[in-house]
Amino acid sequence: MLKNHELKSDTPVIYFDNAATSFPKPRSVIDGVVDYITNVGGNPGRSGHRLAVEAGQIVFNARQMVADLAGVANPMHVIFCANATEAINLAILGSYKPGDHVITSSMEHNSTIRPLKHLEIEQKISLSIARCSTQGLLDPEKIKLLIKPETRMVVLNHASNVTGTVQPLRDIGFFCRQRSITFIVDAAQSFGIIPLNMKADGIDLLAFSGHKGLYGPTGTGGLVLADDFYAARLRPLKFGGTGSASDKTEQPAFLPDRFESGTQNVAGLSGLSAGIAHVIAQPDGIEGIYRHKKELTACFLRRATNEIEGFTGCVPSAMIETGVVSFNLEGLDPSHVVQQLDERWSIMSRAGLHCAPLAHATIGTFPRGAIRFSFGIFNTSNEVDTAIEALKTIRGEAP
Amino acid sequence: MAKESIVLFHSHNYAIWADSALKKESVDHKMMPIPRQLSSDCGYCIRIKSDDAELVEKILHVKNIEYDRIEAAL
């Protein structure tokens, strides 16, 4: 039998994988989930009894909080999905028309690239991928150069899950609005992390994750439609019971029911509301969390660059906005480093391509990938210090 | 007993939204299952005092909360 390194199960876990899913969750999030399952339990909108009403109130509360965070006035424009990937699929597959030309960027996650590639392979759309800089930034002019008369959709991420850099949404949003091009934004890595406003940024459809920057449970996320986005422009991908218009056999046309067939993840959404409340209640709210992550990022990159031989950060510290730091140690396989960090120091990080092969190709780390640390609200500078010492040791042991 | 009315919505989601808005405005109301003779929907409606009907309509209108109709309770 293969012998594992001695697992340091008694060492407190240092969790640097918040871009995958944030952990730990605030106590209030756990309480929110437990409270619904223990004390409420009803199915929202399916029955008239008070526990069903209470479940409906839990879902509405989460809807209102997400709407406020996204800058939309109508909470019914928040469609809950299982995750950001499902939301992006709904946005893309639900709104394209055969013959459309779609523009995306070379920094996208596979959650965007794969549905678009699927449509391209099926010859439903034509696709242009705007090349970003080696630091992952998109020059809005590149989008403008790719525009064709049949361009109907631009799909971009707000922040990259590989580089932590942020795209200039507002310029592109304004440009799309002028041309009636649907602007779809993948905010999986930015919602609750970088302030955004759908109206000011010109976003038509915004996909978000509930379990990353908002500290909700996994299984939460959704799509937000701009206040002026006409629901009929989007086709549902699933059909079924909504608890409304039950005498009709056709899917209802109104929001959010048009897109929310089947029982909602009420336990998850109960936790999500608590997660959003926790984020907002931090000192200086999202801005405060932003500064905290900036400090950890700067501290880590400064020390690593100065003290660890053969350390290469993928992107300069000043450009990283979301606490996501990808790097490599010369001559060492990222997977080996990540395994060592886990087994010997209980540091959780992620190696590889991070479901974003095009992004790694853009910054020059394909196919090798990189090691990624992604900081969250509970991380401390002491944890960063521990990681620096661990990386020094691993580097020192390299042949 | 004061006369009562029932506010019907296209969807329970709007009923819950209205419930939240009426609570904020301290309008006396109650969520209840939709009487079968009024609609075949599975969800809930809101029972209000008939005297408050105009006020409720105004609140729903200002907040952009769509509703189906307001009917006298049977």
Side-chain angles (χ1 to χ4, degrees), chain A residues 8 17 53 64 70 110 167 185 255-256 262 265 288 319 361 375-376 397:
Chain A
K8 298 274 183 190
D17 199 16
V53 172
Q64 181 70 66
N110 270 345
Q167 304 295 15
V185 172
L255 290 169
N265 177 10
M319 292 173 67
F375 303 123
E397 290 167 358

Side-chain angles (χ1 to χ4, degrees), chain A residues 44-48 52-53 56-57 60 63-64 74-76 242-247 254-257, chain B residues 10-14 16-21 23-24 31-34 40-44 63-64 66:
Chain A
R46 300 309 199 271
S47 319
V53 172
Q57 285 161 339
F60 175 75
R63 219 184 282 286
Q64 181 70 66
N74 189 340
M76 299 299 136
T242 55
S244 54
S246 296
D247 55 328
F254 44 82
L255 290 169
D257 305 41
Chain B
H10 296 295
S11 156
H12 53 91
N13 285 305
Y14 292 82
I16 292 278
W17 187 9
D19 169 53
S20 149
K23 263 185 208 152
K24 271 187 201 147
M31 301 282 287
M32 56 176 275
I34 303 172
S40 49
D41 275 3
C42 320
Y44 14 80
K63 304 240 174 188
N64 243 332
E66 288 169 41

Side-chain angles (χ1 to χ4, degrees), chain A residues 3 33 112 135 147 162 174 200 287 316:
Chain A
K3 193 176 177 299
V33 174
T112 288
Q135 293 167 334
I147 292 282
V162 174
F174 182 71
E287 303 279 352

Side-chain angles (χ1 to χ4, degrees), chain A residues 137-298:
Chain A
L137 283 188
L138 177 63
D139 177 357
E141 292 303 316
K142 294 221 169 155
I143 298 273
K144 295 176 189 173
L145 289 173
L146 292 169
I147 292 282
K148 298 177 183 180
E150 62 272 25
T151 306
R152 289 284 169 273
M153 202 192 290
V154 170
V155 194
L156 281 186
N157 67 27
H158 186 198
S160 162
N161 68 314
V162 174
T163 56
T165 50
V166 168
Q167 304 295 15
L169 291 187
R170 198 160 290 193
D171 289 351
I172 297 162
F174 182 71
F175 176 78
C176 289
R177 282 271 154 152
Q178 281 180 321
R179 284 160 186 76
S180 299
I181 293 168
T182 304
F183 186 32
I184 300 171
V185 172
D186 162 14
Q189 291 293 330
S190 67
F191 207 49
I193 297 170
I194 304 275
L196 62 78
N197 183 292
M198 287 183 70
K199 193 172 180 193
D201 293 328
I203 301 166
D204 291 302
L205 298 170
L206 180 93
F208 71 93
S209 166
H211 64 96
K212 298 179 197 268
L214 300 181
Y215 288 83
T218 49
T220 58
L223 187 70
V224 189
L225 281 60
D227 278 313
D228 61 357
F229 192 94
Y230 188 43
R233 283 172 63 194
L234 197 60
R235 297 177 297 272
L237 301 186
K238 55 186 185 189
F239 301 82
T242 55
S244 54
S246 296
D247 55 328
K248 308 269 194 316
T249 51
E250 300 87 24
Q251 189 75 4
F254 44 82
L255 290 169
D257 305 41
R258 178 173 168 80
F259 303 105
E260 286 189 353
S261 290
T263 299
Q264 286 289 305
N265 177 10
V266 192
L269 296 175
S270 181
L272 176 62
S273 296
I276 298 174
H278 186 88
V279 165
I280 294 169
Q282 294 301 296
D284 276 344
I286 292 176
E287 303 279 352
I289 296 170
Y290 170 83
R291 279 202 304 276
H292 175 66
K293 289 184 181 177
K294 267 277 191 194
E295 281 162 20
L296 294 178
T297 302

Side-chain angles (χ1 to χ4, degrees), chain B residues 1 7 9 14-16 23 25 27 30 35 38 44 46 53 55 58 61-66 70-71:
Chain B
M1 201 176 104
V7 192
F9 300 85
Y14 292 82
I16 292 278
K23 263 185 208 152
E25 301 292 331
V27 177
K30 195 183 169 193
L38 292 185
Y44 14 80
I46 295 181
L55 172 67
K58 199 177 156 195
H61 182 72
V62 167
K63 304 240 174 188
N64 243 332
I65 305 172
E66 288 169 41
I70 299 181
E71 286 206 4

